[in-house]
Amino acid sequence: MKLENEDALDNYIICHQCLTLHEEIAIADGSHACCTGCGGVLYRYNTQRIDHGLALSITGLIFFALANFFPLVQIEVLGTEQFITISKTIFTLFESGFYLVGLICAFLIFIFPLMIFLINLCVFALLKAQKGKKITKELLVLLAYITPWSMTDIFLVSILVALVKLIGYAQIHIGVAFWALLVFVLIDVYLVKRIQIFEIWMLHKRIFAHKDEV
Amino acid sequence: MIEVDESTLIRCAICGAVNMDKGKKNICRRCHSSIKDKHFSTQKSWAYLITGMIAYIPANMYPILISTQFGQTEGSTILGGVIFLWEHGSYPIAMVIFFASIIIPVLKFLILIYLLISVKYPLGKDKKVTKHKLYYMTEVIGPWSMIDVFVVAVLSALIHLSMVSIVAGTAVTAFAISVFFTLLSAHAFDARLIKENC
């Protein structure tokens, strides 16, 4: 394989699932390229990616705020009412002496998801404004480190499992925050889990290369 | 013009850029983070995996939930909880808990052991795609074992009454540590080694 210089490697892509080397080709708007080895998605191309990303990160943050301020579920047992919020779940662990688990939970279901959406917001806003080449790079590196550690989707399923366990013992009322969390998880799956960071790097390169020419 | 051997190209785990393998210390040309050393990564992966497996033993021995009902205290282990749910007819939930806390962790241990051995010794040489799929699967389903920890957290926060209360047990810490270290082990494993040893 012959190349002009090392930067020409940008035209190649290695599949993240099976490490097969591919040459990057231009594809139609809204479509995606698949790996020849394992069939996994290599990259997607969408001209509206930045606008969508910006809009969805703001929406996600609003729903995340809602999910934190209101009670998730409320139960009635023997005439007494109890409710939980995300923060109460974490603080109860601390109160009963499980500092390590409390800390892990705090990071997995609160700090990391919040950070991911804030970083996404900043990155897409900077790309939209075509500013801050260096800071975008650093944010993207940080994003790559924390993305595997956000588990709001698993937390949502856990709440459901816990509620099903309680059926028959207590009356259950699902709160506003639960639905907000559900929307947040859907956005999280669409925006963070589906888009690979590689695609944002492609956007980053295209925007700043274009800007350097001008 | 430079001549590049296709098989020496490596992928940066952080930004996905294609890089040339320049020997011992590789720095990604795009995001400037260091690309992990493939020989060191196997040792790290083993170390994390063994820690995770050791932590999994107390996670199953000690009670994960301690419930107090009208002065009576009762602890239940992970398996005990699953059996209790099964006997009381909550089959779907019993299945979910069984899958998340027993099948997935054990399967992950076995897959990682298989992969780590197979990159060192000739084992299943012709199954490259299967191995990559197995590795990818462990990365995707791995975090779902956290379900049990979150369920315990939710229940102990929710059931806090004067007569009836649920408190988390020792096993929660052990289980969380176990899941955490197996996740680290899967991240530390370098999929490049699968390719090279086939």
Side-chain angles (χ1 to χ4, degrees):
Chain A
M1 194 166 101
K2 277 197 166 89
L3 292 171
E4 292 259 345
N5 54 34
E6 210 182 339
D7 283 334
L9 281 173
D10 275 345
N11 300 325
Y12 291 88
I13 174 168
I14 293 176
C15 173
H16 68 288
Q17 286 186 35
C18 68
L19 306 184
T20 318
L21 186 73
H22 294 273
E23 197 174 346
E24 196 190 309
I25 50 163
I27 52 172
D29 194 3
S31 62
H32 58 262
C34 290
C35 171
T36 51
C38 64
V41 176
L42 282 176
Y43 55 92
R44 293 165 213 274
Y45 179 69
N46 192 338
T47 43
Q48 250 125 46
R49 170 62 39 84
I50 295 175
D51 294 323
H52 284 177
L54 199 56
L56 284 174
S57 2
I58 295 170
T59 322
L61 280 170
I62 293 170
F63 277 104
F64 191 65
L66 284 177
N68 275 286
F69 286 130
F70 292 97
L72 279 168
V73 271
Q74 212 170 353
I75 60 157
E76 253 182 80
V77 198
L78 311 168
T80 31
E81 280 190 2
Q82 280 279 321
F83 68 92
I84 51 160
T85 56
I86 293 177
S87 52
K88 204 182 157 200
T89 314
I90 296 163
F91 282 126
T92 312
L93 284 171
F94 276 107
E95 274 166 19
S96 40
F98 292 92
Y99 300 107
L100 192 70
V101 185
L103 207 65
I104 292 177
C105 284
F107 272 101
L108 295 183
I109 61 179
F110 182 75
I111 299 175
F112 286 154
L114 183 64
M115 269 172 83
I116 286 174
F117 270 76
L118 286 175
I119 291 173
N120 263 316
L121 179 67
C122 292
V123 166
F124 285 120
L126 285 168
L127 286 177
K128 178 99 181 149
Q130 309 198 347
K131 272 183 190 134
K133 191 176 173 181
K134 265 239 171 77
I135 187 95
T136 323
K137 267 190 174 182
E138 267 153 36
L139 286 174
L140 282 173
V141 172
L142 185 63
L143 188 64
Y145 278 111
I146 58 177
T147 304
W149 298 99
S150 150
M151 298 188 182
T152 35
D153 44 352
I154 297 162
F155 182 60
L156 188 78
V157 174
S158 308
I159 296 173
L160 285 176
V161 171
L163 290 185
V164 176
K165 271 187 165 182
L166 289 177
I167 287 179
Y169 299 104
Q171 255 198 324
I172 301 162
H173 306 284
I174 288 183
V176 183
F178 182 84
W179 302 113
L181 193 68
L182 182 70
V183 176
F184 176 78
V185 167
L186 288 177
I187 295 173
D188 180 63
V189 169
Y190 181 79
L191 187 70
V192 183
K193 301 261 178 349
R194 201 180 67 114
I195 297 176
Q196 289 170 41
I197 291 174
F198 180 81
E199 293 161 37
I200 308 178
W201 279 101
M202 276 164 69
L203 280 173
H204 178 269
K205 189 196 149 205
R206 206 174 303 141
I207 283 169
F208 288 109
H210 177 69
K211 208 188 159 199
D212 288 344
E213 276 171 29
V214 180
Chain B
M1 288 293 249
I2 44 170
E3 184 74 38
V4 179
D5 183 7
E6 270 183 47
S7 59
T8 64
L9 290 175
I10 49 176
R11 177 179 184 275
C12 169
I14 300 302
C15 73
V18 183
N19 281 273
M20 282 190 283
D21 196 352
K22 283 173 183 156
K24 270 224 148 184
K25 269 238 175 276
N26 284 307
I27 304 286
C28 173
R29 67 197 161 76
R30 186 161 68 183
C31 67
H32 307 298
S33 42
S34 64
I35 300 170
K36 51 192 172 186
D37 184 11
K38 59 191 171 194
H39 301 292
F40 189 48
S41 82
T42 326
Q43 294 172 17
K44 251 180 149 168
S45 194
W46 270 117
Y48 288 142
L49 181 63
I50 291 167
T51 317
M53 278 161 71
I54 292 172
Y56 191 65
I57 299 168
N60 277 289
M61 306 276 283
Y62 286 100
I64 196 157
L65 269 180
I66 299 166
S67 51
T68 314
Q69 261 186 10
F70 306 106
Q72 272 189 323
T73 310
E74 202 183 334
S76 73
T77 55
I78 295 175
L79 207 60
V82 172
I83 293 167
F84 179 83
L85 283 168
W86 187 267
E87 279 173 351
H88 284 70
S90 320
Y91 302 117
I93 290 302
M95 292 284 277
V96 168
I97 300 277
F98 186 62
F99 260 94
S101 353
I102 293 173
I103 301 269
I104 293 178
V106 171
L107 211 63
K108 257 183 86 167
F109 294 146
L110 292 178
I111 289 174
L112 281 170
I113 289 172
Y114 169 69
L115 288 175
L116 282 167
I117 290 176
S118 79
V119 296
K120 191 118 192 230
Y121 301 101
L123 195 72
K125 264 195 180 290
D126 48 337
K127 294 179 190 118
K128 200 169 91 183
V129 177
T130 328
K131 276 191 209 164
H132 278 296
K133 282 236 167 93
L134 274 178
Y135 176 64
Y136 189 69
M137 228 171 67
T138 49
E139 282 226 297
V140 172
I141 62 165
W144 285 92
S145 357
M146 280 302 275
I147 280 190
D148 222 22
V149 177
F150 290 148
V151 167
V152 171
V154 168
L155 282 179
S156 63
L158 204 53
I159 313 291
H160 237 326
L161 309 163
S162 52
M163 284 296 161
V164 187
S165 73
I166 290 180
V167 198
T170 328
V172 176
T173 313
F175 195 77
I177 290 172
S178 170
V179 175
F180 181 70
F181 276 102
T182 28
L183 283 176
L184 278 183
S185 169
H187 284 307
F189 181 76
D190 194 345
R192 243 190 305 160
L193 289 165
I194 298 175
K195 204 177 176 183
E196 275 174 23
N197 288 276
C198 290

